[in-house]
Amino acid sequence: MDWLGEHSSSVMKVARAYTLTSEECQDLAQEILLQAWQSLPKFEQKASAATWFYRVALHTAMNWHRKDKHRRSRQQPFVEVQALATATLDSAEQAQHRDTVEQLYKAIHQLPKTDAALVLLYLDELSYREMSEVLGISESNVGVKLNRAKKTLSALMEGQSHDS
Amino acid sequence: MIPDSPTDPDNLQQAWQTQSSQTKISIDADVLLKVVQRDQQSFRAVVQTSDYVGVGIAILMVPVWIYMGVTESSPWTWYLTLPVLVWWVVFPIVYRMRHPLKPAQPDEPLVHCVERSLTEVDEQIWYHSKSFWWSASPLFASIVTFAFHSAWLRSDDWLDLLSNMDSVVFFLAFFSFLYFLIEKCGCSKYEPRRQELLTLLKSLRDETTSEDSQEIDTAQSASSPAFMCRSLAIAVSLLVLAILIAAGGDYLKHKSRRERERFRAERAATEYPKKSPFAAVRWQDDQPEVKLDDEWFKLVSLNELPVADIVSFSQQTYENQWQQRFEEDLVEVLTRMEHPPADTVKLVVQSMRTSETSVREDVPMTEENRSAIYAASSKRSNR
């Protein structure tokens, strides 16, 4: 089960980016992990594990429907996500980062699904090549789309700063 | 964007990365065990239901098969399927007695539970992969035998038998398709579950052996989309081929039947009148003797045609049946000699008693005479 731990943060980031409530977030995270577990035999190691995991996570998130909630509610969750306090950062910096992350999620929620995917990959510092592998588009196309998505994100973030 | 502002890309990425160390995912092994056990029970229920349905259908089919055989007056080969149906009832029961599906124990370790599930799935894959040989092949043998036997009974000769073989060809093609379907695709429905269990077992053992990797790779290649698509394409092609063969056979059969009917209709249209001037005909070597007014005569000529010419023409035209044609189809023989008779004919005959030759004008050609000749001929040859 080590592979789950290795990619737990990316699962939660994708789940949170594509849902609005913590309940839905847990639900989607579990669905992503199940899909990843079921798809693991098909992993051909042509791409890196992180790239492959992102691909599964984003694909699941984009096809995730809230209307399936009833079906999933009958399935008892076997994955528990715990929030940990970070000891390396002082409280002020931690609070500032937390605020930034919250703003980022709010902005990402307003982006189209594919732009949200690009922004997630960018924030996780994936290279253009890795992004193109995840999304299945050319690197140059990644560059064009990402620039546009970043501008939209910045505008949304600026708007949120002014509002607050 | 202004450097060091909150929306600066570097700041955003740095803030974003801090999340990674703020979450931890833990797996609840007890719940996972329950999920596996529930899946196991569900799988067992599907297998048992499949067994019960198969056995139930076979039991129901026995009286239905007998009833259909009796009402349709089917030949004995129809009943060859009855032992097959009995076999369909017996085999699954015996197999399940030898390979029982044991219920899971609540306190069973997860690894054992997964291993047992995997064994059950593997056994089920074996059971289905061999199902053609234990279930379909006996049925194939009985049905094809019945189809061949029926075709044989419906046929007048070997050529007719060939035209009636379309049902046999159809069943052969259909069972070939079934064989391919079961051998290549029949077990694919169990592959996803097998893969899940293999993955879970691998992660639970927390070690990657080359054996495990090979096992997964092999199973993967068997259930890969490309392989499945190719298998499905071949299976569908075989089925289409079977349908085309059956349709082609049916078309040829109908065409042959239509041609036979057309031939009969044409023959009926050019049918010669069944008439004769003689009350009876008998033979003295190649010389016909005819009965007129209850007296036997040696026939000398008919409508100025010497009897030797008529006999010679009949021999050349009808070979072994020349005497029968002369007796029963005299109008046809004379017409084909380009001397079609009218309703009456002129006969020159020699009396058998007095050897006196006489000419008989306007001897009527009657259907009664011909019927009497036909009846006598049929009696002689037991037709």
Side-chain angles (χ1 to χ4, degrees):
Chain A
M1 299 287 175
D2 291 344
W3 57 274
L4 281 178
E6 286 171 20
H7 303 286
S8 59
S9 67
S10 54
V11 170
M12 289 313 297
K13 285 171 191 170
V14 172
R16 207 176 153 193
Y18 284 90
T19 55
L20 296 172
T21 66
S22 62
E23 191 191 351
E24 285 177 355
C25 178
Q26 290 271 347
D27 213 10
L28 178 55
Q30 177 142 318
E31 189 73 12
I32 291 169
L33 289 167
L34 270 174
Q35 290 295 325
W37 180 42
Q38 287 170 352
S39 308
L40 194 59
K42 293 174 190 164
F43 175 44
E44 293 173 340
Q45 304 207 345
K46 286 177 187 167
S48 71
T51 310
W52 174 82
F53 207 88
Y54 252 119
R55 201 185 292 170
V56 174
L58 288 171
H59 186 265
T60 308
M62 287 186 185
N63 291 293
W64 190 75
H65 298 295
R66 289 177 178 82
K67 64 183 178 185
D68 289 344
K69 191 179 173 183
H70 176 68
R71 176 181 64 80
R72 289 192 297 269
S73 65
R74 287 178 294 171
Q75 186 174 302
Q76 195 178 353
F78 58 84
V79 177
E80 189 186 355
V81 182
Q82 295 169 315
L84 298 175
T86 48
T88 52
L89 297 171
D90 61 52
S91 58
E93 196 178 0
Q94 191 180 337
Q96 190 188 345
H97 280 156
R98 198 181 300 127
D99 288 345
T100 308
V101 168
E102 288 302 319
Q103 284 185 342
L104 271 171
Y105 276 120
K106 281 182 186 170
I108 289 170
H109 286 153
Q110 297 175 58
L111 289 173
K113 280 188 173 181
T114 46
D115 284 1
L118 266 169
V119 167
L120 283 174
L121 299 174
Y122 159 74
L123 290 171
D124 255 348
E125 298 179 340
L126 266 72
S127 66
Y128 274 24
R129 185 187 178 83
E130 286 172 321
M131 286 187 206
S132 72
E133 280 177 10
V134 172
L135 300 173
I137 57 178
S138 67
E139 286 183 47
S140 56
N141 206 0
V142 167
V144 173
K145 284 178 182 293
L146 183 59
N147 275 333
R148 199 164 48 218
K150 277 187 335 193
K151 278 180 189 169
T152 314
L153 183 73
S154 294
L156 289 167
M157 294 285 284
E158 293 283 354
Q160 285 176 19
S161 298
H162 290 309
D163 291 344
S164 59
Chain B
M1 257 181 272
I2 306 159
D4 295 334
S5 80
T7 58
D8 176 68
D10 291 340
N11 283 345
L12 292 179
Q13 285 181 327
Q14 193 186 344
W16 187 259
Q17 294 303 322
T18 59
Q19 287 184 100
S20 305
S21 55
Q22 289 175 358
T23 52
K24 182 193 172 192
I25 288 185
S26 54
I27 309 290
D28 189 333
D30 290 340
V31 178
L32 185 56
L33 176 61
K34 282 179 188 168
V35 170
V36 173
Q37 284 177 339
R38 192 195 57 205
D39 287 351
Q40 198 178 36
Q41 283 167 359
S42 165
F43 174 74
R44 198 171 293 122
V46 168
V47 170
Q48 283 175 341
T49 307
S50 167
D51 284 354
Y52 291 148
V53 168
V55 169
I57 288 174
I59 291 172
L60 279 175
M61 281 298 287
V62 171
V64 172
W65 206 261
I66 293 171
Y67 176 77
M68 285 169 70
V70 171
T71 52
E72 297 292 323
S73 302
S74 301
W76 62 272
T77 43
W78 173 262
Y79 299 99
L80 286 178
T81 306
L82 286 176
V84 176
L85 293 174
V86 173
W87 169 248
W88 279 11
V89 174
V90 172
F91 182 82
I93 294 171
V94 172
Y95 183 84
R96 267 318 146 218
M97 284 168 73
R98 292 190 64 184
H99 303 272
L101 297 167
K102 293 176 188 166
Q105 299 299 316
D107 57 346
E108 195 172 25
L110 182 57
V111 175
H112 293 176
C113 188
V114 174
E115 283 174 344
R116 201 146 53 77
S117 289
L118 194 57
T119 308
E120 283 179 1
V121 172
D122 282 340
E123 282 176 357
Q124 201 60 20
I125 287 173
W126 179 91
Y127 181 78
H128 276 264
S129 67
K130 305 298 174 198
S131 64
F132 177 83
W133 297 110
W134 75 259
S135 70
S137 61
L139 184 69
F140 160 73
S142 68
I143 293 283
V144 169
T145 307
F146 167 71
F148 185 82
H149 189 217
S150 300
W152 173 259
L153 292 176
R154 285 200 310 273
S155 308
D156 297 329
D157 50 33
W158 283 103
L159 202 63
D160 203 24
L161 177 66
L162 278 177
S163 71
N164 286 328
M165 287 287 275
D166 56 342
S167 56
V168 178
V169 172
F170 174 77
F171 281 121
L172 280 172
F174 177 74
F175 278 101
S176 304
F177 164 73
L178 199 65
Y179 169 75
F180 183 83
L181 204 66
I182 292 172
E183 285 289 303
K184 300 292 180 188
C185 312
C187 306
S188 58
K189 64 178 175 182
Y190 297 111
E191 270 309 325
R193 177 164 170 75
R194 185 171 177 272
Q195 290 301 318
E196 272 181 33
L197 291 167
L198 279 172
T199 308
L200 184 58
L201 194 62
K202 190 177 161 188
S203 60
L204 286 169
R205 280 174 176 162
D206 201 22
E207 60 184 5
T208 309
T209 62
S210 56
E211 193 183 340
D212 283 344
S213 305
Q214 280 173 0
E215 201 167 7
I216 289 175
D217 287 347
T218 310
Q220 188 183 324
S221 65
S223 62
S224 66
F227 177 84
M228 290 305 297
C229 286
R230 202 165 53 243
S231 302
L232 192 64
I234 294 172
V236 170
S237 306
L238 269 174
L239 184 62
V240 170
L241 189 67
I243 292 168
L244 284 177
I245 288 171
D250 208 38
Y251 171 76
L252 285 176
K253 189 177 170 182
H254 279 91
K255 192 180 172 189
S256 164
R257 187 178 293 161
R258 276 203 307 274
E259 279 180 359
R260 276 206 301 270
E261 283 169 0
R262 191 163 57 89
F263 176 73
R264 281 184 192 142
E266 282 176 2
R267 193 174 165 187
T270 57
E271 196 81 6
Y272 298 99
K274 302 290 184 189
K275 292 181 179 178
S276 177
F278 319 120
V281 179
R282 69 185 186 191
W283 294 88
Q284 191 65 44
D285 297 328
D286 290 349
Q287 175 63 46
E289 293 175 355
V290 298
K291 196 175 189 181
L292 298 167
D293 300 330
D294 289 332
E295 187 182 347
W296 285 98
F297 295 91
K298 191 181 281 183
L299 184 63
V300 178
S301 70
L302 191 154
N303 281 353
E304 309 295 345
L305 274 173
V307 73
D309 290 356
I310 301 173
V311 166
S312 175
F313 178 82
S314 191
Q315 284 173 335
Q316 285 171 14
T317 310
Y318 304 110
E319 297 178 347
N320 292 336
Q321 294 181 313
W322 69 271
Q323 284 182 325
Q324 188 186 348
R325 288 282 167 267
F326 182 94
E327 291 176 26
E328 298 173 18
D329 302 309
L330 189 60
V331 178
E332 180 183 338
V333 173
L334 294 173
T335 306
R336 293 180 75 170
M337 287 181 78
E338 297 180 354
H339 289 82
D343 291 340
T344 56
V345 288
K346 178 184 172 186
L347 298 176
V348 179
V349 291
Q350 185 180 21
S351 172
M352 298 292 289
R353 279 189 294 111
T354 60
S355 297
E356 187 184 338
T357 301
S358 60
V359 177
R360 294 201 169 203
E361 299 281 354
D362 299 328
V363 179
M365 300 276 288
T366 67
E367 290 178 350
E368 290 75 17
N369 282 344
R370 194 268 177 187
S371 296
I373 291 170
Y374 179 78
S377 174
S378 298
K379 198 174 176 183
R380 278 201 308 272
S381 59
N382 288 324
R383 275 190 291 177

